[in-house]
Amino acid sequence: METLVNSPDTTDHFTDAPPRRIGSQGLIRSEKGDILLFELRRRVDRGDLLTWNLPGGCAQGNEDPQAACKRRIQEKSGLLIEPGRLLLMHWQPAKGNTLEGHNYVWDGGTISQHTEVRLAADITQYRFVPRKHLTGYAPESLVERINAAFRALGHAHNGYLAGRAG
């Protein structure tokens, strides 16, 4: 009998797992409840219409997602944020050259709109944006992610969102 290599029946997905991305972001709000967003230079450079994202970024191999959130926010802005509880996990399917992935959104707490932010070279600007204006800044998948995180913020449980590659 012939055994197929890497067939669904013989692949050990614990030791030979498919590659995935892990993103980790902070939902940081102003005293008024507006959301801190960063404009990503790569999105501007490629001509995207909606170029903004939550602070954070990809985790490195074997890096705890909450630690990645803290590290990436500090690298991108100089802000020392201690991510609080996990608000949301958003699974996104693969799209084009982008692997499927999980995006974690942590409670980044509240900061003053006057807090000094030192932007990294790959961030063009930052802004506190009211929730009702998010669609003018961010892709629909991110707006859904932010709204789901806000729903979880008001409850004792975490949220889960699936779909919409962005």
Side-chain angles (χ1 to χ4, degrees):
M1 181 170 167
E2 186 177 328
T3 302
L4 298 175
V5 176
N6 289 333
S7 75
D9 297 328
T10 63
T11 300
D12 183 343
H13 289 286
F14 289 98
T15 60
D16 189 22
R20 292 185 170 102
R21 298 174 292 112
I22 295 178
S24 201
Q25 301 175 308
L27 182 67
I28 301 170
R29 287 123 17 236
S30 72
E31 305 93 337
K32 296 188 319 183
D34 296 344
I35 301 127
L36 179 62
L37 295 179
F38 291 166
E39 186 176 47
L40 306 179
R41 185 173 306 283
R42 73 175 187 279
R43 290 184 180 172
V44 172
D45 290 348
R46 70 180 181 213
D48 291 0
L49 295 176
L50 302 170
T51 55
W52 297 78
N53 206 342
L54 288 171
C58 289
Q60 298 173 348
N62 289 320
E63 184 179 26
D64 172 88
Q66 192 173 30
C69 181
K70 178 179 179 175
R71 176 183 60 79
R72 297 293 288 189
I73 290 172
Q74 185 176 5
E75 289 172 355
K76 302 293 181 186
S77 66
L79 295 172
L80 294 173
I81 300 292
E82 284 295 333
R85 77 177 179 92
L86 178 64
L87 298 175
L88 178 77
M89 186 174 78
H90 181 193
W91 172 80
Q92 290 183 282
K95 178 183 177 186
N97 293 334
T98 304
L99 298 172
E100 80 170 297
H102 296 94
N103 289 287
Y104 295 86
V105 180
W106 306 91
D107 183 357
T110 302
I111 66 172
S112 168
Q113 288 184 306
H114 305 293
T115 300
E116 180 184 350
V117 178
R118 296 182 316 269
L119 298 178
D122 60 341
I123 307 296
T124 61
Q125 59 182 317
Y126 73 96
R127 186 170 294 164
F128 285 92
V129 177
R131 261 177 83 191
K132 65 184 177 183
H133 296 297
L134 288 173
T135 55
Y137 289 86
E140 191 173 340
S141 62
L142 180 61
V143 173
E144 288 179 16
R145 185 182 306 157
I146 292 170
N147 285 329
F150 260 100
R151 285 191 298 275
L153 189 62
H155 296 89
H157 58 79
N158 303 348
Y160 177 76
L161 190 60
R164 285 208 189 253

